[in-house]
């Protein structure tokens, strides 16, 4: 396996409600980091939510291939002490603090998560751009220890031995 660099981009500030899009501030923040990405990415992949698609459009990238692993239309909101999962149709599911219910990405052990992430990375082309959030970034965070923030670009590098490193650009 040869070394590969993959650019992970996160959405800017999002609105509320089912399958939220980005706010004007979120769109502006995303546009500001286009210069950090390859001028012609080898591959463009994004999650299935409106905010993922808007991120790619704001960056002037072609509409991509989609992956549920990169992110979904659902999202979590913190409301005081309550954590609420807002589904794509607007249904709200209240979670207990630190309880992620049947969310597969949190229920899987680290070995399974590692396998998912490595498979995804191995099949993503060198110099690809991936617009993602949970679950992919949470998996990468568990592997590399990065702190995930919105409107940010991370350079993920997989070396010849399969070791993964992530740097905030």
């Amino acid at each position: 396996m040869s070394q590969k660099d993959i650019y992970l981009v996160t959405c800017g500030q999002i609105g509320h409600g089912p399958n939220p899009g980005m706010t004007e501030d979120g769109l502006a923040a995303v546009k500001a980091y286009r210069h950090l990405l390859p001028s012609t990415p080898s591959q463009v992949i994004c999650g299935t939510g409106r905010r993922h698609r808007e991120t790619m459009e704001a960056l002037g990238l072609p509409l991509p291939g989609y992956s549920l692993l990169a992110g979904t239309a659902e999202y979590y909101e913190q409301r005081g002490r309550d954590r609420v999962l807002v589904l794509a149709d607007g249904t709200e599911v209240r979670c207990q603090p630190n309880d992620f219910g049947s969310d597969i990405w949190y229920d899987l052990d680290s070995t399974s998560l590692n396998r998912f992430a490595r498979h995804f990375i191995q099949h993503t082309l060198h110099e690809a751009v991936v617009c993602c959030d949970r679950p992919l970034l949470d998996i990468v965070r568990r592997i590399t220890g990065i702190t995930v923030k919105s409107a940010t670009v991370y350079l993920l590098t997989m070396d010849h031995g399969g070791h993964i490193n992530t740097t905030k650009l």
Side-chain angles (χ1 to χ4, degrees), residues 9-151:
V9 299
T10 59
C11 306
Q13 180 183 41
I14 62 172
H16 298 283
N19 194 13
M22 283 190 289
T23 64
E24 289 300 318
D25 287 345
L27 286 167
V30 165
K31 288 178 184 177
Y33 60 64
R34 176 59 175 106
H35 71 283
L36 299 173
L37 304 173
S39 58
T40 308
S42 60
Q43 185 178 27
V44 179
I45 302 169
C46 78
T48 60
R50 178 181 299 138
R51 63 192 176 278
H52 306 114
R53 190 175 57 253
E54 287 177 350
T55 298
M56 291 303 178
E57 290 169 352
L59 292 170
L61 296 173
L63 286 180
Y66 295 92
S67 171
L68 292 172
L69 185 60
T72 63
E74 293 77 18
Y75 72 102
Y76 284 101
E77 279 187 3
Q78 191 69 39
R79 298 182 187 161
R81 296 179 146 255
D82 294 329
R83 188 166 176 85
V84 178
L85 173 63
V86 181
L87 303 178
D89 69 356
T91 301
E92 295 185 358
V93 180
R94 298 204 183 280
C95 305
Q96 297 300 316
N98 300 318
D99 172 27
F100 296 98
S102 62
D103 187 332
I104 188 171
W105 312 115
Y106 291 98
D107 289 345
L108 291 173
D109 60 49
S110 58
T111 302
S112 297
L113 291 171
N114 221 327
R115 193 170 48 243
F116 272 122
R118 287 184 188 284
H119 180 80
F120 182 84
I121 292 163
Q122 288 171 348
H123 290 87
T124 300
L125 300 176
H126 174 65
E127 292 203 341
V129 174
V130 180
C131 177
C132 58
D133 58 18
R134 235 191 24 88
L136 183 61
L137 283 174
D138 282 340
I139 295 169
V140 172
R141 178 185 55 78
R142 290 179 188 196
I143 294 170
T144 66
I146 63 169
T147 300
V148 178
K149 298 185 182 274
S150 64

